[in-house]
Amino acid sequence: MCNSKQPDTDTITGAIRRPDSPCTHTPTCPPAGRADREAAIVVAAYPEQGWSLLCNGILIFEDTGELLPDGRVVAPHRPVAALV
């Protein structure tokens, strides 16, 4: 990740990188602070361990919990099944 406020150019792909994200594709993934943050692309998946790393720096767990890049924890939020 780049420490400057200006976008950085990836030396391998030539893609523009936002300062707050490793995302280099277009359209860019939603940042970790937005409500649609889970729409980011998976860049590393470890299903045997139950977690994946998203392009915006979020660790997402199979129980739907999340660890945000700033260290905040989002509790699991699976929808409750409708009672029949």
Side-chain angles (χ1 to χ4, degrees):
M1 231 167 25
C2 177
N3 290 331
S4 69
K5 297 294 181 190
Q6 297 298 319
D8 188 22
T9 302
D10 187 292
T11 55
I12 296 171
T13 65
I16 299 296
R17 178 177 295 149
R18 295 183 325 197
D20 61 341
S21 172
C23 186
T24 59
H25 49 269
T26 303
T28 57
C29 290
R34 283 195 2 201
D36 61 346
R37 63 183 166 253
E38 294 174 11
I41 293 174
V42 173
V43 294
Y46 295 91
E48 68 280 1
Q49 295 177 3
W51 63 274
S52 296
L53 174 64
L54 302 182
C55 188
N56 55 8
I58 294 174
L59 285 175
I60 190 162
F61 299 94
E62 68 182 12
D63 70 352
T64 70
E66 301 171 9
L67 179 60
L68 303 180
D70 64 3
R72 288 182 294 147
V73 174
V74 177
H77 48 277
R78 285 187 177 157
V80 177
L83 298 175
V84 181

